[in-house]
Amino acid sequence: MRKVPFIDRKLAEEIDAKIPTPYYVYDEEGMIRNIENIKSAFAWNKGFKEYFAVKATPNPFLLAIMKEHGIGVDCSSLTELMISKAAGFCGDDIMFSSNETPAEDYVLAKKLGAIINLDDITHIDYFDSLCGLNETMSIRFNPGGIFTVSNGIMDNPQDAKYGMTEEQMYEAVKIMMDRGVKHFGIHSFLVSNTVTNDYYPMLAQQLFDLAVSIHEKTGAHIAFVNLSGGVGIPYTPDQEPNDIFVIGDGVRKIYEKVFVPKGMDDVAIYTEMGRYVMGPFGALVTKAIHEKHIYKEYIGVDACAVNLMRPAMYGSYHHITVLGKEDEPCTCMYDIVGGLCENNDKFAIDRMLPKIEKGDYLFIHDTGAHGYSMGYNYNGKLRSAEVLVHPDRSFEMIRRAETPEDYFATFDFSDFDFR
Ligand SMILES: *Cc1c(COP(=O)(O)O)cnc(C)c1O
């Protein structure tokens, strides 16, 4: 599918005049439309709730919009809980799906009334002694083995650090029932960025079967099944996007097959999608500032891997559009590179693009999730601003760019003078 940027060159220039490149832009209209689609795709389930994975895009302005549209948040750290609280979330609008959790994180999650999803059986005692168990507790499952869908192996849960074994799941429920827990949730996250409509239904089959089995063996009330994240987006133009309505309907069929005959038709379905909710609705906009002709043709841009780590870290493809040249033929082959002293700082390698002039704006697509948030400060490079484009095409800064003062802030106990 042809990838179309959600801003044009004119808007990129207008933003640049106030908030210099590089900056992240987010498309409010697209994000809201997508959230509403997710809700309708699962509307057949009374208790359905999406808990947006905050780590994907931890910006309180965006979270507040999500809250208005009725979705919750999935947190896994102290500061993610703090951001969520600031954006107005509390109680069972917060899912706390952490692992290797520090005590203070659990204490805050408890204080906010979040639903606690325990990653390990040993965390029952840990959480109980810190906070006391809640009436509803969730537990995370790791089925081990290899997870396959129709088109092959997807991942190896047996090598993943998350979750409990099947035996431990039964054991955990029994321990917590003895301590007065009344309602249980079951959670699992097996594969990232699946671009197939089969992933959620296949996971649902495993988790629903397990839920029935736990219910039958222990008598526990299963209140929800959390399918977690992993629904992906097509980063390359040739990939077929997921259809959330097909996915929702696929899960419904399994629900009707597994739960309904057992009288378990009050089980709520929860999801914790991050990438699927925000990925396509954010972009990194960066300006071409240099061109270099050696053994290859390079375009140097004012963003670098600290602003978007995925290509350097995973070799990920991110589509690039040169704004204002959407319809020009892609006749030049470039490496698009940032200024880190690391040779993996390349947003694209051997990419065919229209001829790029210095000053051109490059729109790096599909960076609305796990983009800004994976940023870092290597080489003393600073994090960019974030900008929200409203449905009427006006824009608003929703995070300012870092300054050198921010970078030096952790030396504020010392007498060094950085000015
Ligand atoms: C990262 C994460 C998610 C979101 O994953 P996506 O790939 O963005 O959908 C959901 N739940 C948990 C526990 C996670 O760690």
Side-chain angles (χ1 to χ4, degrees), residues 50-56 74-76 95-99 117 140 162 187-189 191-194 200 226-232 271-277 369-370:
E50 151 69 5
Y51 290 89
F52 177 71
V54 172
K55 74 166 187 273
D74 157 41
C75 300
S76 62
M95 180 70 60
F96 192 57
S97 286
S98 60
N99 67 95
N117 182 31
R140 184 165 181 167
Y162 309 106
H187 170 281
S188 193
F189 185 178
V191 194
S192 255
N193 194 31
T194 57
Y200 260 6
N226 184 345
L227 299 173
S228 185
V231 177
T271 56
E272 295 174 341
M273 290 180 273
R275 194 186 312 271
Y276 187 80
V277 173
H370 312 296

